Structure formats: C-alpha cells, structure tokens
Amino acid sequence: MPRFAANLSMLYNDLDFLDRFAAAARDGFTAVEYLFPYAYAPEQLAALLQQQGLQQVLFNAPPGDWDRGERGMACIPGREAEFRDGIAQALRYAQALQCPRLHVMAGMVPAGVDGADAAILRSTYIANIRHAAEQAAAQGVRILLEPINGRDMPGFFLSRQDQAHALVAEIGAANVQVQMDLYHCQIVEGDLAMKIRQYLPTGQVGHIQIAGVPERHEPDVGEVNYSYLFALLDSLGYDGWIGCEYKPARGAAPHATSDGLGWLKPYLTNAQ
C-alpha cells in the first residue's frame, strides 16, 4: 500500500504554515514534506512533528535568493562556499527533524550558456553534489536530485529522468538518488509506467511526488491515471514515500485541501 506525505508548502494553504501540521494529521497523514524550514527554529518544527505524530520525510537545501528567481546553486560556478554553508545548515535541520532525505536543487542555467561554459556548469554540479553527499553520509541522509519541467521552471539545469540517473552514476555516491516527480516527468517525457518500470528497479529512486497534469491539482484530476500507477509501484515493491505536492483545485478556500482528499481516503484507511 502506498504511503503518502503531505506537502505543507502547497497543501492547507488557507492556514498559517505552523497550523498545517495539525491539519495534515487530522486528515490521516503520518508524514510531511515541504520546500524550506529555515524561517523557523528547528526545535519548533521538531516539537510540532512530535506533537502531531508526524515524520519529516523531505525538505530542500537552501536555494539561494528565491525571491530573485534563484532555484538552487549546485550548478553555479563561484557559489561553492555559499552552497557548502547551505548544506551545513540543511544538515543541522535534518538532524533536528530526523529527516532522512534532502533535496538539493540544481539551479538555473544562465542565459546564453553553451559549449565549454555548459561543461563547467556540469562539473561544478557534480563536485557540489559529491561534497553534499559526503557531508550527509555521516548522518545517514540521502541527497536527492530532482528533474523539473521547463514549463514551470524555464532554464532549470535538470529536466529529464535519464539525465538525473546518468548524473547519479557519475557522482558515484551511494546516498545520492533521484527524486522522481511524476508531474514533472509527465510534462517533459510522458510514458510514466515505462519510466517507473525502467528506473525503480535500479534502486536509484529515493522519493516520488505526484500532482494532476496539466494544472498541478489533485491527482484524480487531469490526464494521469494515478490509481494504475500506485498499483504498479506496489507491484514493483516500492516502499518509500509519495509526496503530495499539488495545488488544491479550490485554491486557498477554507478546507480546500481536506475537501479534495477523496482520492486518498482508500489509502489512508490501511497501513500508514
């Protein structure tokens, strides 16, 4: 039976962030993920997790200046010191929150980059991820690389599953894996069932996320038959978490998230 984690950056957005933990627990979630914890003290978040009986299963390393459009620093030459500081900060939070996975965003490709400059971005990325993996290994934390579609995030360094898996192989660290977001994968590549059959048996898929396509609403809205894919994941023995990283179709209306969870109720009644 699939295990689902509520993404608190997108779900329950009619509530203040700190109130979303209790809302997720009331709806039957036993795990959460979100983009960034850094606006809050780690002790405060750890207390909320404990109070609500929740596991923290994923969050992101610092992305640079998010408000100015930065989406990670891993591929950006000249930002290595800032990147390393960010990994150290993320790992302090991971330890406090007992979180076993850390998504490291790749970053945006600067306009006009190609040829030798593109090779420098790749080598910078590989070196930075190797550093992050080495630091994370001491805590038993896995570093995740996520391909993101170019419609939502034009110019992002990493967009395809084969690209991510090739980088994992080249980086060569046992605790580096791919974060397979099926929403992004459907937009860029499609053929989701075959992609799952291809990559899940490699052991390199460390986390899965979902959303309806194309609007990124509930998984039962749109062109993807998620019930079929959940059964496929079960048949292949996937025992990780599935992050619900979608925007409720009713936006920030009161109870929008809870009212849209009809698709999830059959899964929450069993072994979560």
Side-chain angles (χ1 to χ4, degrees):
M1 181 67 68
R3 299 183 299 162
F4 295 90
N7 187 296
L8 299 186
S9 295
M10 290 196 175
L11 302 184
Y12 305 102
N13 56 4
D14 56 317
L15 302 173
D16 289 339
F17 180 76
L18 295 179
D19 294 329
R20 299 177 191 182
F21 293 80
R26 283 195 299 270
D27 279 336
F29 286 103
T30 58
V32 296
E33 61 177 43
Y34 40 71
L35 293 181
F36 310 111
Y38 310 109
Y40 307 94
E43 297 80 9
Q44 183 179 22
L45 298 176
L48 280 173
L49 292 168
Q50 184 175 19
Q51 289 165 12
Q52 301 301 330
L54 295 167
Q55 298 180 56
Q56 182 77 48
V57 299
L58 176 74
F59 63 87
N60 291 1
D65 192 335
W66 186 268
D67 292 336
R68 293 181 58 190
E70 292 186 343
R71 297 294 183 266
M73 298 172 282
C75 77
I76 309 299
R79 302 284 293 276
E80 290 86 353
E82 186 179 354
F83 175 85
R84 292 184 174 211
D85 288 345
I87 293 298
Q89 181 185 25
L91 289 173
R92 288 194 294 272
Y93 272 81
Q95 184 173 37
L97 303 178
Q98 300 181 45
C99 182
R101 298 168 196 85
L102 182 63
H103 171 215
V104 178
M105 299 189 76
M108 309 298 287
V109 175
V113 167
D114 57 15
D117 289 338
I120 292 172
L121 295 186
R122 181 183 174 86
S123 63
T124 300
Y125 181 79
I126 289 171
N128 277 332
I129 297 299
R130 283 176 175 159
H131 168 80
E134 181 181 1
Q135 298 302 305
Q139 289 182 207
V141 171
R142 285 177 272 176
I143 299 296
L144 301 185
L145 318 180
E146 181 187 22
I148 295 177
N149 81 78
R151 171 159 64 80
D152 286 5
M153 206 171 285
F156 194 70
F157 175 80
L158 186 59
S159 63
R160 294 183 58 86
Q161 301 300 310
D162 55 358
Q163 182 188 9
H165 282 269
L167 284 163
V168 168
E170 185 169 351
I171 290 162
N175 63 328
V176 176
Q177 295 178 304
V178 176
Q179 183 171 316
M180 189 178 194
D181 188 315
L182 298 179
Y183 165 79
H184 294 306
C185 186
Q186 172 68 5
I187 292 170
V188 177
E189 305 175 59
D191 204 16
L192 292 179
M194 296 307 293
K195 292 292 187 301
I196 290 170
R197 289 189 176 102
Q198 177 181 358
Y199 292 119
L200 203 64
T202 68
Q204 292 184 350
V205 176
H207 190 67
I208 290 174
Q209 292 176 319
I210 57 171
V213 182
E215 291 90 1
R216 205 170 193 173
H217 293 322
E218 285 82 355
D220 60 340
V221 177
E223 67 193 39
V224 177
N225 182 357
Y226 273 110
S227 60
Y228 172 83
L229 296 179
F230 296 155
L232 175 61
L233 290 169
D234 265 355
S235 73
L236 293 172
Y238 179 68
D239 63 354
W241 292 92
I242 299 175
C244 302
E245 192 183 40
Y246 63 82
K247 299 176 290 186
R250 292 178 58 237
H255 313 297
T257 297
S258 299
D259 290 347
L261 288 177
W263 67 273
L264 184 60
K265 289 180 180 177
Y267 303 100
L268 291 178
T269 57
N270 289 292
Q272 274 230 79

Short mmCIF file of all heavy atoms in Angstrom, two decimals, residues 29-91:
data_model
loop_
_atom_site.label_atom_id
_atom_site.label_comp_id
_atom_site.label_asym_id
_atom_site.label_seq_id
_atom_site.Cartn_x
_atom_site.Cartn_y
_atom_site.Cartn_z
N PHE A 29 -2.72 11.91 7.48
CA PHE A 29 -1.32 11.82 7.08
C PHE A 29 -0.46 11.48 8.30
O PHE A 29 -0.71 11.95 9.41
CB PHE A 29 -0.84 13.14 6.48
CG PHE A 29 -1.35 13.44 5.11
CD1 PHE A 29 -2.37 14.36 4.91
CD2 PHE A 29 -0.80 12.81 3.99
CE1 PHE A 29 -2.84 14.66 3.64
CE2 PHE A 29 -1.26 13.10 2.72
CZ PHE A 29 -2.29 14.02 2.54
N THR A 30 0.58 10.69 8.06
CA THR A 30 1.55 10.42 9.11
C THR A 30 2.94 10.94 8.76
O THR A 30 3.89 10.72 9.52
CB THR A 30 1.64 8.90 9.38
OG1 THR A 30 2.01 8.22 8.17
CG2 THR A 30 0.31 8.38 9.89
N ALA A 31 3.06 11.62 7.62
CA ALA A 31 4.34 12.17 7.20
C ALA A 31 4.12 13.47 6.44
O ALA A 31 3.06 13.67 5.83
CB ALA A 31 5.09 11.17 6.31
N VAL A 32 5.13 14.33 6.49
CA VAL A 32 5.07 15.61 5.79
C VAL A 32 6.38 15.89 5.09
O VAL A 32 7.44 15.35 5.44
CB VAL A 32 4.73 16.78 6.75
CG1 VAL A 32 3.35 16.61 7.35
CG2 VAL A 32 5.79 16.92 7.83
N GLU A 33 6.29 16.74 4.09
CA GLU A 33 7.43 17.33 3.41
C GLU A 33 7.07 18.78 3.15
O GLU A 33 5.92 19.18 3.30
CB GLU A 33 7.72 16.60 2.09
CG GLU A 33 6.56 16.66 1.10
CD GLU A 33 6.87 15.99 -0.24
OE1 GLU A 33 7.46 14.91 -0.24
OE2 GLU A 33 6.49 16.58 -1.28
N TYR A 34 8.06 19.58 2.77
CA TYR A 34 7.81 20.96 2.36
C TYR A 34 9.09 21.47 1.72
O TYR A 34 10.12 20.78 1.71
CB TYR A 34 7.38 21.85 3.53
CG TYR A 34 8.10 21.62 4.84
CD1 TYR A 34 9.43 21.98 5.03
CD2 TYR A 34 7.44 21.03 5.91
CE1 TYR A 34 10.07 21.76 6.23
CE2 TYR A 34 8.07 20.80 7.12
CZ TYR A 34 9.39 21.18 7.27
OH TYR A 34 10.03 20.96 8.46
N LEU A 35 9.01 22.69 1.18
CA LEU A 35 10.18 23.23 0.49
C LEU A 35 11.30 23.57 1.48
O LEU A 35 12.38 22.99 1.43
CB LEU A 35 9.79 24.46 -0.33
CG LEU A 35 8.88 24.21 -1.52
CD1 LEU A 35 8.60 25.53 -2.25
CD2 LEU A 35 9.47 23.20 -2.48
N PHE A 36 11.03 24.51 2.39
CA PHE A 36 12.11 25.04 3.22
C PHE A 36 11.66 25.22 4.67
O PHE A 36 10.58 25.74 4.92
CB PHE A 36 12.58 26.40 2.68
CG PHE A 36 12.88 26.39 1.21
CD1 PHE A 36 12.06 27.07 0.32
CD2 PHE A 36 13.96 25.68 0.72
CE1 PHE A 36 12.34 27.05 -1.04
CE2 PHE A 36 14.24 25.65 -0.64
CZ PHE A 36 13.42 26.35 -1.53
N PRO A 37 12.50 24.84 5.62
CA PRO A 37 12.18 25.02 7.04
C PRO A 37 12.83 26.23 7.68
O PRO A 37 12.63 26.48 8.87
CB PRO A 37 12.76 23.75 7.66
CG PRO A 37 14.00 23.49 6.85
CD PRO A 37 13.66 23.95 5.44
N TYR A 38 13.62 26.99 6.94
CA TYR A 38 14.61 27.88 7.55
C TYR A 38 14.03 29.14 8.19
O TYR A 38 14.75 29.84 8.90
CB TYR A 38 15.68 28.23 6.52
CG TYR A 38 16.22 26.98 5.85
CD1 TYR A 38 15.91 26.70 4.51
CD2 TYR A 38 16.97 26.06 6.57
CE1 TYR A 38 16.36 25.53 3.92
CE2 TYR A 38 17.41 24.89 5.98
CZ TYR A 38 17.11 24.63 4.65
OH TYR A 38 17.53 23.46 4.06
N ALA A 39 12.76 29.42 7.97
CA ALA A 39 12.13 30.58 8.63
C ALA A 39 11.78 30.28 10.08
O ALA A 39 11.37 31.19 10.81
CB ALA A 39 10.88 31.00 7.86
N TYR A 40 11.95 29.03 10.49
CA TYR A 40 11.56 28.60 11.83
C TYR A 40 12.72 27.89 12.50
O TYR A 40 13.56 27.27 11.84
CB TYR A 40 10.35 27.67 11.76
CG TYR A 40 9.21 28.27 11.00
CD1 TYR A 40 9.05 28.00 9.63
CD2 TYR A 40 8.29 29.12 11.61
CE1 TYR A 40 8.01 28.57 8.91
CE2 TYR A 40 7.25 29.69 10.90
CZ TYR A 40 7.12 29.41 9.55
OH TYR A 40 6.10 29.99 8.83
N ALA A 41 12.76 27.96 13.80
CA ALA A 41 13.79 27.25 14.55
C ALA A 41 13.57 25.75 14.42
O ALA A 41 12.42 25.29 14.45
CB ALA A 41 13.76 27.65 16.02
N PRO A 42 14.63 24.97 14.25
CA PRO A 42 14.44 23.52 14.11
C PRO A 42 13.75 22.89 15.31
O PRO A 42 12.96 21.95 15.16
CB PRO A 42 15.87 22.99 13.93
CG PRO A 42 16.78 24.08 14.39
CD PRO A 42 16.05 25.36 14.14
N GLU A 43 14.00 23.42 16.51
CA GLU A 43 13.36 22.88 17.70
C GLU A 43 11.84 23.08 17.66
O GLU A 43 11.08 22.23 18.13
CB GLU A 43 13.94 23.53 18.95
CG GLU A 43 15.42 23.28 19.18
CD GLU A 43 16.32 24.19 18.33
OE1 GLU A 43 15.80 25.13 17.69
OE2 GLU A 43 17.54 23.95 18.32
N GLN A 44 11.42 24.20 17.10
CA GLN A 44 9.98 24.49 17.00
C GLN A 44 9.30 23.49 16.05
O GLN A 44 8.23 22.96 16.36
CB GLN A 44 9.78 25.92 16.49
CG GLN A 44 8.34 26.37 16.40
CD GLN A 44 8.22 27.80 15.90
OE1 GLN A 44 9.12 28.33 15.26
NE2 GLN A 44 7.10 28.44 16.23
N LEU A 45 9.94 23.23 14.92
CA LEU A 45 9.37 22.28 13.96
C LEU A 45 9.41 20.86 14.50
O LEU A 45 8.46 20.09 14.32
CB LEU A 45 10.13 22.37 12.63
CG LEU A 45 10.07 23.72 11.92
CD1 LEU A 45 10.93 23.70 10.67
CD2 LEU A 45 8.63 24.09 11.57
N ALA A 46 10.50 20.50 15.17
CA ALA A 46 10.59 19.16 15.75
C ALA A 46 9.50 18.93 16.79
O ALA A 46 8.92 17.84 16.86
CB ALA A 46 11.98 18.97 16.38
N ALA A 47 9.19 19.96 17.56
CA ALA A 47 8.13 19.82 18.56
C ALA A 47 6.77 19.61 17.90
O ALA A 47 5.96 18.80 18.36
CB ALA A 47 8.10 21.06 19.46
N LEU A 48 6.52 20.32 16.79
CA LEU A 48 5.26 20.13 16.07
C LEU A 48 5.14 18.72 15.52
O LEU A 48 4.08 18.10 15.59
CB LEU A 48 5.15 21.15 14.94
CG LEU A 48 4.72 22.56 15.31
CD1 LEU A 48 4.84 23.48 14.10
CD2 LEU A 48 3.29 22.56 15.83
N LEU A 49 6.21 18.22 14.95
CA LEU A 49 6.20 16.86 14.42
C LEU A 49 5.87 15.86 15.52
O LEU A 49 5.04 14.95 15.34
CB LEU A 49 7.55 16.52 13.79
CG LEU A 49 7.92 17.28 12.51
CD1 LEU A 49 9.39 17.06 12.18
CD2 LEU A 49 7.04 16.83 11.34
N GLN A 50 6.50 16.02 16.67
CA GLN A 50 6.28 15.09 17.77
C GLN A 50 4.84 15.20 18.29
O GLN A 50 4.18 14.18 18.54
CB GLN A 50 7.28 15.36 18.89
CG GLN A 50 7.16 14.37 20.05
CD GLN A 50 8.26 14.60 21.08
OE1 GLN A 50 8.88 15.65 21.14
NE2 GLN A 50 8.51 13.59 21.90
N GLN A 51 4.36 16.43 18.44
CA GLN A 51 3.00 16.63 18.96
C GLN A 51 1.95 15.98 18.07
O GLN A 51 0.96 15.44 18.56
CB GLN A 51 2.71 18.12 19.09
CG GLN A 51 3.46 18.83 20.19
CD GLN A 51 3.42 20.34 20.05
OE1 GLN A 51 2.63 20.87 19.25
NE2 GLN A 51 4.24 21.04 20.82
N GLN A 52 2.18 16.04 16.76
CA GLN A 52 1.17 15.55 15.81
C GLN A 52 1.44 14.11 15.34
O GLN A 52 0.69 13.60 14.51
CB GLN A 52 1.10 16.49 14.60
CG GLN A 52 0.75 17.92 14.95
CD GLN A 52 -0.59 18.04 15.66
OE1 GLN A 52 -1.50 17.23 15.44
NE2 GLN A 52 -0.72 19.04 16.52
N GLY A 53 2.49 13.49 15.84
CA GLY A 53 2.79 12.12 15.43
C GLY A 53 3.19 12.01 13.97
O GLY A 53 2.84 11.02 13.30
N LEU A 54 3.94 12.98 13.48
CA LEU A 54 4.31 13.04 12.07
C LEU A 54 5.80 12.78 11.88
O LEU A 54 6.63 13.14 12.72
CB LEU A 54 3.98 14.42 11.49
CG LEU A 54 2.50 14.80 11.43
CD1 LEU A 54 2.36 16.28 11.14
CD2 LEU A 54 1.77 13.97 10.37
N GLN A 55 6.14 12.20 10.75
CA GLN A 55 7.53 12.07 10.31
C GLN A 55 7.85 13.16 9.29
O GLN A 55 7.03 13.45 8.42
CB GLN A 55 7.77 10.72 9.63
CG GLN A 55 7.55 9.51 10.48
CD GLN A 55 7.80 8.24 9.68
OE1 GLN A 55 8.88 8.05 9.11
NE2 GLN A 55 6.82 7.37 9.62
N GLN A 56 9.03 13.73 9.39
CA GLN A 56 9.54 14.61 8.34
C GLN A 56 10.31 13.74 7.35
O GLN A 56 11.30 13.11 7.72
CB GLN A 56 10.47 15.66 8.94
CG GLN A 56 11.02 16.65 7.93
CD GLN A 56 9.99 17.68 7.56
OE1 GLN A 56 9.33 18.27 8.41
NE2 GLN A 56 9.82 17.91 6.26
N VAL A 57 9.86 13.68 6.09
CA VAL A 57 10.49 12.77 5.14
C VAL A 57 11.32 13.48 4.08
O VAL A 57 12.12 12.83 3.39
CB VAL A 57 9.45 11.85 4.47
CG1 VAL A 57 8.76 10.99 5.52
CG2 VAL A 57 8.43 12.63 3.66
N LEU A 58 11.17 14.79 3.95
CA LEU A 58 11.91 15.52 2.90
C LEU A 58 11.78 17.01 3.11
O LEU A 58 10.74 17.50 3.53
CB LEU A 58 11.33 15.15 1.52
CG LEU A 58 11.92 15.89 0.30
CD1 LEU A 58 13.31 15.36 -0.02
CD2 LEU A 58 11.02 15.74 -0.91
N PHE A 59 12.85 17.74 2.83
CA PHE A 59 12.79 19.18 2.59
C PHE A 59 13.97 19.55 1.70
O PHE A 59 14.80 18.71 1.36
CB PHE A 59 12.76 20.00 3.90
CG PHE A 59 13.99 19.87 4.76
CD1 PHE A 59 15.09 20.69 4.57
CD2 PHE A 59 14.02 18.95 5.80
CE1 PHE A 59 16.22 20.57 5.37
CE2 PHE A 59 15.14 18.82 6.61
CZ PHE A 59 16.24 19.64 6.40
N ASN A 60 14.03 20.81 1.29
CA ASN A 60 15.05 21.26 0.34
C ASN A 60 16.19 21.97 1.05
O ASN A 60 15.99 22.69 2.03
CB ASN A 60 14.46 22.25 -0.67
CG ASN A 60 13.49 21.60 -1.64
OD1 ASN A 60 13.22 20.41 -1.57
ND2 ASN A 60 12.95 22.38 -2.54
N ALA A 61 17.38 21.83 0.50
CA ALA A 61 18.51 22.64 0.94
C ALA A 61 18.26 24.10 0.52
O ALA A 61 17.46 24.38 -0.37
CB ALA A 61 19.80 22.12 0.31
N PRO A 62 18.94 25.06 1.15
CA PRO A 62 18.75 26.45 0.77
C PRO A 62 18.98 26.66 -0.73
O PRO A 62 19.96 26.15 -1.29
CB PRO A 62 19.79 27.19 1.62
CG PRO A 62 19.95 26.33 2.83
CD PRO A 62 19.85 24.92 2.31
N PRO A 63 18.09 27.43 -1.40
CA PRO A 63 18.15 27.55 -2.86
C PRO A 63 18.87 28.78 -3.38
O PRO A 63 18.88 29.02 -4.58
CB PRO A 63 16.68 27.64 -3.23
CG PRO A 63 16.10 28.45 -2.11
CD PRO A 63 16.87 28.04 -0.85
N GLY A 64 19.47 29.60 -2.49
CA GLY A 64 19.93 30.91 -2.91
C GLY A 64 18.84 31.92 -2.64
O GLY A 64 18.02 31.76 -1.73
N ASP A 65 18.77 32.96 -3.45
CA ASP A 65 17.77 34.03 -3.27
C ASP A 65 16.50 33.66 -4.03
O ASP A 65 16.36 33.99 -5.21
CB ASP A 65 18.34 35.36 -3.75
CG ASP A 65 17.49 36.55 -3.31
OD1 ASP A 65 16.28 36.35 -3.09
OD2 ASP A 65 18.02 37.66 -3.20
N TRP A 66 15.60 33.00 -3.37
CA TRP A 66 14.36 32.51 -4.00
C TRP A 66 13.54 33.66 -4.57
O TRP A 66 12.99 33.56 -5.67
CB TRP A 66 13.55 31.74 -2.97
CG TRP A 66 12.33 31.07 -3.50
CD1 TRP A 66 11.06 31.57 -3.55
CD2 TRP A 66 12.25 29.74 -4.06
NE1 TRP A 66 10.20 30.65 -4.09
CE2 TRP A 66 10.90 29.52 -4.41
CE3 TRP A 66 13.19 28.73 -4.27
CZ2 TRP A 66 10.46 28.32 -4.98
CZ3 TRP A 66 12.76 27.53 -4.84
CH2 TRP A 66 11.41 27.34 -5.19
N ASP A 67 13.44 34.77 -3.84
CA ASP A 67 12.61 35.89 -4.28
C ASP A 67 13.15 36.54 -5.55
O ASP A 67 12.38 37.18 -6.28
CB ASP A 67 12.49 36.94 -3.17
CG ASP A 67 11.70 36.41 -1.98
OD1 ASP A 67 10.88 35.48 -2.16
OD2 ASP A 67 11.90 36.94 -0.86
N ARG A 68 14.42 36.37 -5.82
CA ARG A 68 15.01 36.90 -7.05
C ARG A 68 15.08 35.86 -8.16
O ARG A 68 15.69 36.09 -9.19
CB ARG A 68 16.42 37.44 -6.76
CG ARG A 68 16.45 38.67 -5.86
CD ARG A 68 17.87 39.15 -5.66
NE ARG A 68 18.53 39.47 -6.93
CZ ARG A 68 19.83 39.74 -7.04
NH1 ARG A 68 20.61 39.70 -5.96
NH2 ARG A 68 20.35 40.03 -8.20
N GLY A 69 14.42 34.73 -7.96
CA GLY A 69 14.34 33.73 -9.00
C GLY A 69 15.38 32.64 -8.95
O GLY A 69 15.41 31.79 -9.85
N GLU A 70 16.23 32.63 -7.94
CA GLU A 70 17.22 31.55 -7.84
C GLU A 70 16.53 30.27 -7.40
O GLU A 70 15.66 30.28 -6.52
CB GLU A 70 18.34 31.95 -6.88
CG GLU A 70 19.19 33.09 -7.42
CD GLU A 70 20.39 33.40 -6.55
OE1 GLU A 70 20.43 32.99 -5.38
OE2 GLU A 70 21.31 34.08 -7.06
N ARG A 71 16.96 29.17 -8.00
CA ARG A 71 16.36 27.87 -7.72
C ARG A 71 17.45 26.83 -7.48
O ARG A 71 17.49 25.78 -8.09
CB ARG A 71 15.44 27.44 -8.87
CG ARG A 71 14.23 28.36 -9.09
CD ARG A 71 13.29 28.30 -7.91
NE ARG A 71 12.09 29.11 -8.09
CZ ARG A 71 11.93 30.36 -7.67
NH1 ARG A 71 12.94 30.98 -7.04
NH2 ARG A 71 10.80 31.01 -7.86
N GLY A 72 18.34 27.15 -6.56
CA GLY A 72 19.46 26.29 -6.26
C GLY A 72 20.77 26.89 -6.74
O GLY A 72 20.79 27.76 -7.61
N MET A 73 21.87 26.39 -6.17
CA MET A 73 23.20 26.90 -6.50
C MET A 73 24.16 25.80 -6.96
O MET A 73 25.31 26.08 -7.28
CB MET A 73 23.81 27.58 -5.28
CG MET A 73 23.03 28.78 -4.79
SD MET A 73 23.69 29.37 -3.19
CE MET A 73 22.98 28.16 -2.06
N ALA A 74 23.70 24.56 -6.99
CA ALA A 74 24.63 23.45 -7.18
C ALA A 74 25.40 23.52 -8.49
O ALA A 74 26.55 23.08 -8.55
CB ALA A 74 23.87 22.12 -7.09
N CYS A 75 24.80 24.07 -9.54
CA CYS A 75 25.49 24.11 -10.84
C CYS A 75 26.16 25.44 -11.12
O CYS A 75 26.72 25.62 -12.21
CB CYS A 75 24.51 23.76 -11.97
SG CYS A 75 23.38 25.10 -12.43
N ILE A 76 26.13 26.37 -10.19
CA ILE A 76 26.58 27.74 -10.45
C ILE A 76 28.03 27.94 -10.00
O ILE A 76 28.32 27.93 -8.80
CB ILE A 76 25.67 28.77 -9.75
CG1 ILE A 76 24.20 28.51 -10.07
CG2 ILE A 76 26.08 30.18 -10.13
CD1 ILE A 76 23.86 28.61 -11.54
N PRO A 77 28.95 28.12 -10.93
CA PRO A 77 30.35 28.38 -10.54
C PRO A 77 30.47 29.67 -9.73
O PRO A 77 29.74 30.64 -9.97
CB PRO A 77 31.07 28.51 -11.89
CG PRO A 77 30.17 27.86 -12.89
CD PRO A 77 28.78 28.09 -12.39
N GLY A 78 31.38 29.66 -8.76
CA GLY A 78 31.60 30.83 -7.94
C GLY A 78 30.74 30.91 -6.71
O GLY A 78 30.93 31.79 -5.87
N ARG A 79 29.78 29.98 -6.57
CA ARG A 79 28.89 29.99 -5.40
C ARG A 79 29.19 28.81 -4.47
O ARG A 79 28.37 28.47 -3.61
CB ARG A 79 27.42 29.91 -5.86
CG ARG A 79 26.98 31.03 -6.81
CD ARG A 79 26.75 32.35 -6.10
NE ARG A 79 25.63 32.31 -5.20
CZ ARG A 79 24.34 32.51 -5.56
NH1 ARG A 79 24.03 32.71 -6.82
NH2 ARG A 79 23.38 32.51 -4.64
N GLU A 80 30.35 28.19 -4.64
CA GLU A 80 30.64 26.96 -3.90
C GLU A 80 30.63 27.17 -2.39
O GLU A 80 30.11 26.32 -1.65
CB GLU A 80 31.98 26.37 -4.34
CG GLU A 80 31.97 25.78 -5.74
CD GLU A 80 32.24 26.81 -6.83
OE1 GLU A 80 32.31 28.03 -6.52
OE2 GLU A 80 32.39 26.39 -8.00
N ALA A 81 31.20 28.26 -1.90
CA ALA A 81 31.24 28.49 -0.46
C ALA A 81 29.83 28.66 0.10
O ALA A 81 29.49 28.10 1.15
CB ALA A 81 32.10 29.71 -0.15
N GLU A 82 28.99 29.41 -0.61
CA GLU A 82 27.61 29.60 -0.17
C GLU A 82 26.85 28.27 -0.22
O GLU A 82 26.05 27.97 0.67
CB GLU A 82 26.93 30.63 -1.06
CG GLU A 82 25.53 31.01 -0.62
CD GLU A 82 24.90 32.06 -1.52
OE1 GLU A 82 25.59 32.57 -2.43
OE2 GLU A 82 23.71 32.35 -1.33
N PHE A 83 27.11 27.49 -1.25
CA PHE A 83 26.47 26.17 -1.36
C PHE A 83 26.85 25.31 -0.15
O PHE A 83 25.98 24.68 0.46
CB PHE A 83 26.90 25.49 -2.66
CG PHE A 83 26.38 24.09 -2.81
CD1 PHE A 83 25.11 23.85 -3.32
CD2 PHE A 83 27.15 22.99 -2.42
CE1 PHE A 83 24.61 22.55 -3.43
CE2 PHE A 83 26.66 21.69 -2.54
CZ PHE A 83 25.39 21.48 -3.05
N ARG A 84 28.11 25.27 0.19
CA ARG A 84 28.56 24.43 1.31
C ARG A 84 27.96 24.90 2.63
O ARG A 84 27.58 24.08 3.47
CB ARG A 84 30.08 24.40 1.36
CG ARG A 84 30.69 23.65 0.18
CD ARG A 84 32.20 23.54 0.28
NE ARG A 84 32.72 22.70 -0.80
CZ ARG A 84 33.78 21.94 -0.73
NH1 ARG A 84 34.49 21.91 0.41
NH2 ARG A 84 34.18 21.19 -1.74
N ASP A 85 27.87 26.20 2.80
CA ASP A 85 27.22 26.72 4.01
C ASP A 85 25.76 26.29 4.07
O ASP A 85 25.24 25.94 5.14
CB ASP A 85 27.32 28.24 4.06
CG ASP A 85 28.73 28.75 4.36
OD1 ASP A 85 29.57 27.94 4.80
OD2 ASP A 85 28.98 29.94 4.12
N GLY A 86 25.10 26.31 2.92
CA GLY A 86 23.70 25.90 2.86
C GLY A 86 23.52 24.44 3.19
O GLY A 86 22.56 24.05 3.88
N ILE A 87 24.42 23.60 2.70
CA ILE A 87 24.34 22.17 3.02
C ILE A 87 24.54 21.95 4.52
O ILE A 87 23.84 21.14 5.15
CB ILE A 87 25.37 21.37 2.21
CG1 ILE A 87 25.01 21.41 0.71
CG2 ILE A 87 25.48 19.94 2.70
CD1 ILE A 87 23.67 20.78 0.36
N ALA A 88 25.49 22.65 5.10
CA ALA A 88 25.71 22.52 6.54
C ALA A 88 24.46 22.93 7.33
O ALA A 88 24.07 22.25 8.30
CB ALA A 88 26.91 23.36 6.97
N GLN A 89 23.83 24.03 6.92
CA GLN A 89 22.60 24.46 7.58
C GLN A 89 21.49 23.41 7.41
O GLN A 89 20.79 23.07 8.38
CB GLN A 89 22.13 25.80 7.01
CG GLN A 89 20.87 26.33 7.67
CD GLN A 89 20.35 27.59 7.01
OE1 GLN A 89 20.61 27.83 5.82
NE2 GLN A 89 19.63 28.42 7.76
N ALA A 90 21.33 22.90 6.20
CA ALA A 90 20.29 21.90 5.94
C ALA A 90 20.50 20.65 6.77
O ALA A 90 19.54 20.07 7.30
CB ALA A 90 20.27 21.56 4.45
N LEU A 91 21.73 20.23 6.92
CA LEU A 91 22.00 19.02 7.69
C LEU A 91 21.76 19.23 9.18
O LEU A 91 21.37 18.29 9.88
CB LEU A 91 23.42 18.53 7.42
CG LEU A 91 23.63 17.93 6.02
CD1 LEU A 91 25.10 17.62 5.78
CD2 LEU A 91 22.78 16.68 5.83
#
